[in-house]
mmCIF file of all heavy atoms in Angstrom:
data_model
loop_
_atom_site.group_PDB
_atom_site.id
_atom_site.type_symbol
_atom_site.label_atom_id
_atom_site.label_comp_id
_atom_site.label_asym_id
_atom_site.label_seq_id
_atom_site.Cartn_x
_atom_site.Cartn_y
_atom_site.Cartn_z
ATOM 1 N N SER A 477 -9.405 54.327 24.305
ATOM 2 C CA SER A 477 -9.887 53.323 25.258
ATOM 3 C C SER A 477 -11.405 53.376 25.384
ATOM 4 O O SER A 477 -12.065 52.332 25.484
ATOM 5 C CB SER A 477 -9.266 53.548 26.638
ATOM 6 O OG SER A 477 -7.878 53.287 26.589
ATOM 7 N N TYR A 480 -12.845 51.536 22.466
ATOM 8 C CA TYR A 480 -12.694 50.083 22.598
ATOM 9 C C TYR A 480 -13.676 49.524 23.621
ATOM 10 O O TYR A 480 -14.313 48.494 23.389
ATOM 11 C CB TYR A 480 -11.261 49.715 23.014
ATOM 12 C CG TYR A 480 -10.249 49.848 21.891
ATOM 13 C CD1 TYR A 480 -9.057 50.527 22.077
ATOM 14 C CD2 TYR A 480 -10.483 49.275 20.646
ATOM 15 C CE1 TYR A 480 -8.127 50.661 21.060
ATOM 16 C CE2 TYR A 480 -9.561 49.404 19.618
ATOM 17 C CZ TYR A 480 -8.390 50.098 19.826
ATOM 18 O OH TYR A 480 -7.484 50.214 18.811
ATOM 19 N N LYS A 484 -16.596 46.748 23.152
ATOM 20 C CA LYS A 484 -16.651 45.501 23.929
ATOM 21 C C LYS A 484 -18.044 45.303 24.525
ATOM 22 O O LYS A 484 -18.590 44.201 24.490
ATOM 23 C CB LYS A 484 -15.583 45.518 25.034
ATOM 24 C CG LYS A 484 -14.180 45.304 24.490
ATOM 25 C CD LYS A 484 -13.091 45.603 25.497
ATOM 26 C CE LYS A 484 -11.746 45.619 24.776
ATOM 27 N NZ LYS A 484 -10.625 46.063 25.588
ATOM 28 N N LEU A 526 -11.832 42.528 32.783
ATOM 29 C CA LEU A 526 -10.888 43.190 31.879
ATOM 30 C C LEU A 526 -10.664 44.616 32.369
ATOM 31 O O LEU A 526 -11.620 45.364 32.534
ATOM 32 C CB LEU A 526 -11.475 43.198 30.465
ATOM 33 C CG LEU A 526 -10.618 43.893 29.408
ATOM 34 C CD1 LEU A 526 -10.700 43.131 28.107
ATOM 35 C CD2 LEU A 526 -11.026 45.338 29.193
ATOM 36 N N VAL A 527 -9.422 44.935 32.648
ATOM 37 C CA VAL A 527 -9.077 46.313 32.996
ATOM 38 C C VAL A 527 -8.426 46.911 31.758
ATOM 39 O O VAL A 527 -7.369 46.439 31.300
ATOM 40 C CB VAL A 527 -8.115 46.365 34.200
ATOM 41 C CG1 VAL A 527 -7.706 47.805 34.495
ATOM 42 C CG2 VAL A 527 -8.765 45.744 35.437
ATOM 43 N N GLN A 528 -9.066 47.919 31.180
ATOM 44 C CA GLN A 528 -8.557 48.489 29.942
ATOM 45 C C GLN A 528 -7.210 49.178 30.182
ATOM 46 O O GLN A 528 -7.058 49.955 31.119
ATOM 47 C CB GLN A 528 -9.585 49.495 29.375
ATOM 48 C CG GLN A 528 -9.221 50.063 28.033
ATOM 49 C CD GLN A 528 -9.209 49.041 26.897
ATOM 50 O OE1 GLN A 528 -9.956 48.058 26.919
ATOM 51 N NE2 GLN A 528 -8.351 49.245 25.924
ATOM 52 N N LEU A 529 -6.251 48.882 29.313
ATOM 53 C CA LEU A 529 -4.926 49.504 29.373
ATOM 54 C C LEU A 529 -4.817 50.536 28.253
ATOM 55 O O LEU A 529 -5.484 50.383 27.228
ATOM 56 C CB LEU A 529 -3.844 48.433 29.220
ATOM 57 C CG LEU A 529 -3.892 47.290 30.235
ATOM 58 C CD1 LEU A 529 -2.798 46.278 29.925
ATOM 59 C CD2 LEU A 529 -3.770 47.793 31.656
ATOM 60 N N PRO A 530 -4.043 51.580 28.393
ATOM 61 C CA PRO A 530 -3.169 51.870 29.532
ATOM 62 C C PRO A 530 -3.940 52.478 30.699
ATOM 63 O O PRO A 530 -4.994 53.071 30.512
ATOM 64 C CB PRO A 530 -2.209 52.910 28.938
ATOM 65 C CG PRO A 530 -2.993 53.601 27.868
ATOM 66 C CD PRO A 530 -3.928 52.575 27.310
ATOM 67 N N LEU A 541 -2.925 44.100 37.398
ATOM 68 C CA LEU A 541 -3.129 42.875 36.615
ATOM 69 C C LEU A 541 -2.965 41.629 37.492
ATOM 70 O O LEU A 541 -3.666 40.638 37.312
ATOM 71 C CB LEU A 541 -2.170 42.830 35.415
ATOM 72 C CG LEU A 541 -2.388 43.934 34.364
ATOM 73 C CD1 LEU A 541 -1.368 43.807 33.237
ATOM 74 C CD2 LEU A 541 -3.805 43.902 33.796
ATOM 75 N N ASP A 551 -8.144 38.410 29.628
ATOM 76 C CA ASP A 551 -7.140 39.077 28.799
ATOM 77 C C ASP A 551 -5.853 38.235 28.713
ATOM 78 O O ASP A 551 -5.003 38.484 27.856
ATOM 79 C CB ASP A 551 -6.760 40.426 29.430
ATOM 80 C CG ASP A 551 -7.296 41.611 28.645
ATOM 81 O OD1 ASP A 551 -7.508 41.471 27.434
ATOM 82 O OD2 ASP A 551 -7.476 42.679 29.261
ATOM 83 N N PHE A 553 -3.378 38.307 30.881
ATOM 84 C CA PHE A 553 -2.234 39.149 31.242
ATOM 85 C C PHE A 553 -1.658 38.843 32.623
ATOM 86 O O PHE A 553 -0.631 39.383 33.001
ATOM 87 C CB PHE A 553 -2.630 40.647 31.216
ATOM 88 C CG PHE A 553 -2.956 41.186 29.842
ATOM 89 C CD1 PHE A 553 -3.640 42.393 29.703
ATOM 90 C CD2 PHE A 553 -2.574 40.509 28.685
ATOM 91 C CE1 PHE A 553 -3.937 42.904 28.445
ATOM 92 C CE2 PHE A 553 -2.877 41.017 27.427
ATOM 93 C CZ PHE A 553 -3.556 42.216 27.307
ATOM 94 N N PRO A 570 -4.054 35.704 25.326
ATOM 95 C CA PRO A 570 -4.305 37.115 25.081
ATOM 96 C C PRO A 570 -5.034 37.314 23.747
ATOM 97 O O PRO A 570 -4.742 36.633 22.757
ATOM 98 C CB PRO A 570 -2.909 37.730 25.046
ATOM 99 C CG PRO A 570 -2.049 36.774 25.777
ATOM 100 C CD PRO A 570 -2.647 35.415 25.573
ATOM 101 N N CYS A 571 -6.002 38.209 23.747
ATOM 102 C CA CYS A 571 -7.008 38.233 22.664
ATOM 103 C C CYS A 571 -6.454 38.538 21.275
ATOM 104 O O CYS A 571 -6.857 37.891 20.300
ATOM 105 C CB CYS A 571 -8.108 39.210 23.026
ATOM 106 S SG CYS A 571 -8.881 38.775 24.589
ATOM 107 N N THR A 572 -5.559 39.506 21.155
ATOM 108 C CA THR A 572 -5.069 39.838 19.804
ATOM 109 C C THR A 572 -4.222 38.700 19.227
ATOM 110 O O THR A 572 -4.486 38.245 18.095
ATOM 111 C CB THR A 572 -4.314 41.185 19.818
ATOM 112 O OG1 THR A 572 -5.220 42.199 20.256
ATOM 113 C CG2 THR A 572 -3.799 41.559 18.438
ATOM 114 N N ILE A 600 1.363 42.732 25.358
ATOM 115 C CA ILE A 600 0.000 42.482 24.876
ATOM 116 C C ILE A 600 -0.005 41.704 23.562
ATOM 117 O O ILE A 600 -0.851 40.853 23.340
ATOM 118 C CB ILE A 600 -0.762 43.836 24.713
ATOM 119 C CG1 ILE A 600 -0.974 44.483 26.087
ATOM 120 C CG2 ILE A 600 -2.083 43.658 23.984
ATOM 121 C CD1 ILE A 600 -1.714 45.823 26.051
ATOM 122 N N VAL A 601 0.962 41.992 22.689
ATOM 123 C CA VAL A 601 0.967 41.325 21.373
ATOM 124 C C VAL A 601 2.300 40.617 21.065
ATOM 125 O O VAL A 601 2.336 39.394 20.914
ATOM 126 C CB VAL A 601 0.645 42.314 20.214
ATOM 127 C CG1 VAL A 601 0.577 41.549 18.889
ATOM 128 C CG2 VAL A 601 -0.662 43.066 20.447
ATOM 129 N N THR A 697 -9.959 40.653 17.795
ATOM 130 C CA THR A 697 -9.552 40.832 19.192
ATOM 131 C C THR A 697 -10.749 40.732 20.137
ATOM 132 O O THR A 697 -10.738 39.939 21.084
ATOM 133 C CB THR A 697 -8.825 42.182 19.367
ATOM 134 O OG1 THR A 697 -7.642 42.148 18.577
ATOM 135 C CG2 THR A 697 -8.451 42.439 20.812
HETATM 136 N N1 GUN B 1228 -5.244 47.954 25.509
HETATM 137 C C1 GUN B 1228 -4.862 47.637 24.248
HETATM 138 N N2 GUN B 1228 -5.133 46.353 23.979
HETATM 139 C C2 GUN B 1228 -5.700 45.841 25.083
HETATM 140 C C3 GUN B 1228 -6.202 44.547 25.405
HETATM 141 O O1 GUN B 1228 -6.171 43.589 24.623
HETATM 142 N N3 GUN B 1228 -6.718 44.422 26.648
HETATM 143 C C4 GUN B 1228 -6.752 45.448 27.536
HETATM 144 N N4 GUN B 1228 -7.255 45.214 28.745
HETATM 145 N N5 GUN B 1228 -6.294 46.642 27.278
HETATM 146 C C5 GUN B 1228 -5.769 46.838 26.053
#
Side-chain angles (χ1 to χ4, degrees):
S477 293
Y480 285 131
K484 286 168 191 172
L526 178 142
V527 177
Q528 185 66 30
L529 303 178
L541 295 179
D551 251 334
F553 293 164
C571 302
T572 300
I600 294 180
V601 184
T697 297

